[in-house]
Amino acid sequence: MPLDPMNLRPMRIAATFAGIAGAAFLVAAASPQPTIVGLQEGAEAAPAAAADDANPLHDSMETMQGSLKALRKLMRDPAKKDEALAAVREMEGAVLLGLAHVPKPLKELEGSALLAHDVDYKRRMATVYTTLLDMELALDKGDADALKTLYRALGGQKKEGHQIYIDGK
């Protein structure tokens, strides 16, 4: 299939995200304690749970949820742009950490089906990351309408992910 030079955006996004994911993997592998990219300077990460209860994917999604809730309030006030950007960047870090922890399938999968499950998860996380990057740009420009649209899109992505990976729909 010949490449269409006018439609290289998906390839650029995939290549960029692969590099970011690789960096996140190296950070996660080298860190004795989970590190959240975007954690504000001087802030302390929550202590790690006991080894039996450790669930890095759940922890990263909890970080996303908290930052999403904070962002909903912050985006109403243009004077809180820096705080809103920090919340978005914290979510970006949580996505990168979550990317390294693909959820187990809800039903037994093997071979190509398991690979498809894992790739689908990674693609969905790439979409979330891209949405967050677009939110950064909207915040920087002060584009409240674009920010609201992206916030709703992020909520839809969250809902779809939960339906697939938690509810099994």
Side-chain angles (χ1 to χ4, degrees), residues 68-89:
L68 193 61
K69 187 176 181 179
L71 180 62
R72 183 176 60 237
K73 294 175 185 174
L74 293 169
M75 58 191 247
R76 294 180 193 143
D77 185 354
K80 295 189 177 182
K81 172 182 157 181
D82 290 340
E83 292 173 60
L85 281 167
V88 170
R89 290 178 181 142

Side-chain angles (χ1 to χ4, degrees), residues 82-106:
D82 290 340
E83 292 173 60
L85 281 167
V88 170
R89 290 178 181 142
E90 186 171 39
M91 285 188 280
E92 290 169 2
V95 167
L96 293 177
L97 286 175
L99 181 66
H101 302 283
V102 177
K104 293 180 182 175
L106 297 175

Side-chain angles (χ1 to χ4, degrees), residues 10-154:
M11 290 176 64
R12 284 194 308 264
I13 290 172
T16 300
F17 196 73
I20 292 168
F25 177 77
L26 292 174
V27 167
S31 298
Q33 174 179 335
T35 302
I36 299 175
V37 177
L39 190 62
Q40 292 185 358
E41 196 171 315
E44 293 289 325
D52 297 349
D53 299 333
N55 186 336
L57 178 58
H58 181 267
D59 294 345
S60 70
M61 293 302 137
E62 287 292 317
T63 299
M64 288 273 300
Q65 181 61 30
S67 295
L68 193 61
K69 187 176 181 179
L71 180 62
R72 183 176 60 237
K73 294 175 185 174
L74 293 169
M75 58 191 247
R76 294 180 193 143
D77 185 354
K80 295 189 177 182
K81 172 182 157 181
D82 290 340
E83 292 173 60
L85 281 167
V88 170
R89 290 178 181 142
E90 186 171 39
M91 285 188 280
E92 290 169 2
V95 167
L96 293 177
L97 286 175
L99 181 66
H101 302 283
V102 177
K104 293 180 182 175
L106 297 175
K107 60 183 177 182
E108 192 67 32
L109 297 176
E110 294 180 2
S112 294
L114 180 59
L115 179 63
H117 168 272
D118 293 356
V119 168
D120 180 66
Y121 170 77
K122 292 173 188 176
R123 279 189 179 139
R124 288 176 185 279
M125 292 298 279
T127 300
V128 169
Y129 194 81
T130 301
T131 301
L132 291 168
L133 294 175
D134 290 341
M135 289 178 94
E136 265 194 273
L137 293 174
L139 278 163
D140 185 57
K141 292 177 185 175
D143 190 342
D145 291 336
L147 188 58
K148 286 178 189 175
T149 300
L150 291 163
Y151 185 89
R152 286 187 199 110
L154 196 58

